């Protein structure tokens, strides 16, 4: 199955549909990564804080050993966690993450959040727990970004990017960036369309990747109240009706609504049928009216907000 790609500002090709690795449990992770590659996925979206990078690496190593792919066929993404923002901590933790993945470069390495927290020595605890317990760190976004630029110089990352940035931070970063961010990864679904930010980033040559493309579904799993009280997007009458019209599933329509507007997606599923379905979501075209109807569902409803999880970081306010 040929998946279209986006040409990044580095010249590299990034598949427009990838496989997300958040909440993939350690015991099934290696198999899920292997199965995703076998199903045709080439982009894997991981992170230190997902606590499964060593198992991701096992899945990748097995897929390469079995001849399913070569390393250069894959586009492996990982992210720098908040406890490692100090300039002298960035390269060592990236090397540690590469070791876990059993590879020697990332295709793309993202600053996960524009939030610096106090350093945690990986020899004592790794990965650090995700929660409100850490005091703020001292690194500015500029310090961290400039350390990430050196990852590119050293060949540890082919490209670097950002995640969970708003327009103001991005504007500022572009003033000093020697290496321009290749991508911006943000929460993006019909309840949170972020059109101004998407258009600004794309206009600057920064590719946008959507996370949580199905909106509340990912956060219902986390028992989040606002997700439980929002209408399920996959069951929304507007989405279901459009899916029926094209003979597709609601999930495929939500993914296509993003990719048709040039936004990459990284859905995750442990279910073999959905895994294939999500990848096979680029071979039909929604008409303009349908795109507008889906965009019209916007209610600026953000689920992945640190403040809602008790972390005192007002990143989006
Ligand atoms: P998701 O897109 O993986 O969707 C989550 C839910 O949808 C899961 O319950 C899944 O089982 C279900 N689902 C998947 N395919 C389906 C289908 N075809 N039909 C019906 N249900 C389906 O949401 P997510 O995990 O929030 O986001 C995807 C990826 O984005 C993550 O795995 C991670 O890699 C990345 N992410 C990044 C950040 C960040 O801060 N940068 C935050 C959240 C997620």
């Amino acid at each position: 199955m040929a998946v279209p790609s986006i040409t990044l500002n580095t010249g590299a090709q990034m598949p427009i549909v990838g496989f997300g690795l958040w909440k993939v449990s350690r015991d099934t992770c290696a198999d899920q990564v292997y199965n995703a590659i076998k199903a045709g996925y080439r982009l894997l979206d991981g992170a230190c804080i997902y606590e499964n990078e060593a198992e991701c690496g096992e899945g990748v190593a097995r897929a390469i050993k079995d001849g399913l792919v070569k390393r250069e066929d894959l586009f492996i993404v990982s992210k720098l966690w908040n406890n490692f923002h100090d300039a002298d901590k960035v390269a060592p933790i990236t090397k540690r993450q590469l070791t876990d993945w059993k590879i020697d470069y990332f295709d793309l390495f993202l600053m996960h959040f524009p939030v610096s927290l106090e350093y945690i020595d990986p020899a004592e605890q790794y990965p650090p727990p995700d929660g409100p317990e850490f005091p703020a760190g001292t690194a500015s976004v500029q310090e961290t970004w400039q350390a990430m630029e050196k990852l590119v110089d050293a060949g540890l990352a082919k490209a670097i990017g950002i995640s969970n940035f708003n327009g103001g931070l991005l504007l500022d970063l572009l003033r000093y960036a020697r290496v321009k961010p290749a991508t911006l990864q943000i929460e993006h679904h019909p309840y949170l369309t972020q059109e101004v930010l998407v258009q600004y980033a794309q206009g600057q040559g920064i590719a946008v990747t959507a996370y949580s493309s199905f909106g509340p579904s990912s956060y219902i799993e986390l028992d989040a109240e606002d997700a439980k009280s929002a209408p399920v997007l996959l069951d929304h009458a507007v989405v279901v009706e459009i899916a029926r019209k094209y003979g597709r599933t609601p999930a495929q329509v939500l993914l296509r609504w993003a990719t048709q507007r040039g936004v990459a997606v990284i859905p995750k599923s442990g279910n073999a049928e959905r895994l294939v379905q999500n990848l096979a979501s680029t071979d039909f075209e929604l008409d303009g009216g349908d795109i507008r109807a889906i965009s019209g569902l916007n209610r600026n409803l953000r689920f992945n907000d640190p403040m809602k999880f008790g972390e005192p970081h007002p990143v989006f306010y």
Side-chain angles (χ1 to χ4, degrees):
M1 195 181 308
V3 176
S5 58
I6 297 179
T7 304
L8 300 181
N9 58 21
T10 58
Q13 297 294 311
M14 179 177 84
I16 204 161
V17 182
F19 187 70
L21 290 156
W22 184 34
K23 294 187 254 139
V24 175
S25 69
R26 273 189 189 143
D27 53 339
T28 64
C29 186
D31 287 342
Q32 287 208 52
V33 165
Y34 184 89
N35 291 336
I37 294 172
K38 198 167 179 191
Y41 286 84
R42 293 296 174 262
L43 184 148
L44 301 167
D45 184 82
C48 157
I49 203 68
Y50 300 164
E51 300 185 342
N52 56 14
E53 292 199 291
E55 292 76 11
C56 293
E58 274 171 42
V60 166
R62 207 193 309 154
I64 292 174
K65 183 167 155 279
D66 288 358
L68 300 184
V69 282
K70 300 195 208 47
R71 167 65 186 95
E72 57 270 29
D73 301 327
L74 295 173
F75 192 101
I76 299 183
V77 185
S78 188
K79 310 185 189 87
L80 178 77
W81 189 242
N82 304 345
N83 298 100
F84 308 107
H85 274 218
D86 297 339
D88 62 332
K89 303 297 188 287
V90 171
I93 204 68
T94 308
K95 287 178 189 161
R96 156 80 200 243
Q97 292 178 243
L98 286 166
T99 303
D100 280 352
W101 276 93
K102 299 173 237 320
I103 56 179
D104 52 15
Y105 67 92
F106 287 119
D107 293 278
L108 177 64
F109 198 66
L110 306 178
M111 193 186 311
H112 205 147
F113 274 91
V115 174
S116 161
L117 295 180
E118 199 171 74
Y119 176 66
I120 291 286
D121 185 349
E124 282 164 26
Q125 189 173 25
Y126 187 83
D130 184 8
E133 51 271 64
F134 296 111
T138 56
S140 65
V141 168
Q142 180 169 0
E143 171 180 337
T144 306
W145 185 255
Q146 286 171 342
M148 289 176 67
E149 289 175 329
K150 293 187 182 137
L151 300 176
V152 177
D153 299 338
L156 300 175
K158 300 267 187 215
I160 51 176
I162 49 182
S163 181
N164 298 306
F165 271 50
N166 63 19
L169 273 176
L170 176 53
L171 212 54
D172 188 50
L173 184 135
L174 290 175
R175 296 289 179 270
Y176 56 77
R178 172 171 62 84
V179 178
K180 218 175 170 183
T183 71
L184 166 67
Q185 188 178 119
I186 49 170
E187 180 176 341
H188 173 270
H189 44 72
Y191 291 156
L192 183 69
T193 56
Q194 306 209 61
E195 271 151 27
V196 174
L197 181 59
V198 169
Q199 281 169 19
Y200 178 74
Q202 290 178 335
Q204 294 294 319
I206 301 166
V208 176
T209 298
Y211 71 72
S212 304
S213 295
F214 308 133
S217 298
S218 186
Y219 301 89
I220 292 171
E221 293 172 359
L222 298 176
D223 220 24
E225 285 308 323
D226 55 350
K228 287 194 287 184
S229 59
V232 174
L233 252 178
L234 289 161
D235 296 339
H236 196 291
V238 168
V239 178
V240 170
E241 186 46 40
I242 292 172
R244 195 173 295 132
K245 174 174 159 189
Y246 293 91
R248 297 292 178 144
T249 67
Q252 287 177 314
V253 166
L254 291 174
L255 297 173
R256 192 63 184 133
W257 168 79
T259 57
Q260 209 172 304
R261 290 158 45 252
V263 174
V265 292
I266 43 175
K268 168 213 73 184
S269 179
N271 169 302
E273 201 180 305
R274 288 175 172 176
L275 190 69
V276 173
Q277 184 193 113
N278 291 343
L279 191 65
S281 59
T282 56
D283 58 350
F284 67 106
E285 296 286 310
L286 296 166
D287 68 38
D290 293 330
I291 296 264
R292 282 192 294 280
I294 298 169
S295 297
L297 301 178
N298 184 39
R299 41 169 89 180
N300 298 323
L301 180 53
R302 183 188 300 280
F303 299 106
N304 196 26
D305 174 353
M307 297 297 285
K308 292 187 179 173
F309 294 104
E311 295 166 28
H313 316 309
V315 177
F316 303 113
Y317 295 83

